[in-house]
Amino acid sequence: MEKEEKDCINSVESFEETGFNYTLSLISGKYKLTILYALYRHKVIRFNQLQKYLKMISHKTLSNVLKELEADDLIIRKEYPQIPPKVEYSLSEKGKSLIPILYSLCEWGEKHKI
């Protein structure tokens, strides 16, 4: 492990104060990483398109997770003033900065899946 990595892990007294805990607080949950991956893949996507792409998530759950991701500044919600309402979602710069982590997870999974 590099010195910077060791400092990140060992530099604080309690787990709650670690960068690792902060990162987990942003991305933990059943669908957050999946939604971030979908937004990265599609760049800009509307709610119904996202729900169709993911298939396994209810309307209410998707809505709640998107609100959490927006509150954490990981995604951008853009609402257009028209009828019917049009809302699009995309990754924020902060959300885009998680993409290397998603790639690492993908590479690890490809290497270790049976």
Side-chain angles (χ1 to χ4, degrees), residues 4 9 20 29 36 46 51 57-59 62-63 67 77 89 98 101 104-105:
E4 290 177 21
I9 293 170
F20 184 77
L36 292 171
R46 294 179 67 181
Q51 190 172 21
I57 188 170
S58 73
H59 180 89
L62 179 57
S63 180
K67 286 176 186 174
R77 180 183 188 270
Y89 296 92
L98 286 169
I101 294 169
S104 294
L105 289 171

Side-chain angles (χ1 to χ4, degrees), residues 56-97:
M56 73 284 203
I57 188 170
S58 73
H59 180 89
K60 182 179 178 180
T61 301
L62 179 57
S63 180
N64 288 341
V65 175
L66 287 169
K67 286 176 186 174
E68 290 174 16
L69 290 169
E70 183 183 15
D72 290 333
D73 297 321
L74 295 176
I75 66 170
I76 298 167
R77 180 183 188 270
K78 184 173 182 181
E79 189 172 342
Y80 295 89
Q82 66 184 47
I83 297 176
K86 178 181 175 183
V87 178
E88 293 179 336
Y89 296 92
S90 60
L91 290 175
S92 66
E93 289 304 313
K94 186 176 177 182
K96 289 176 186 175
S97 70

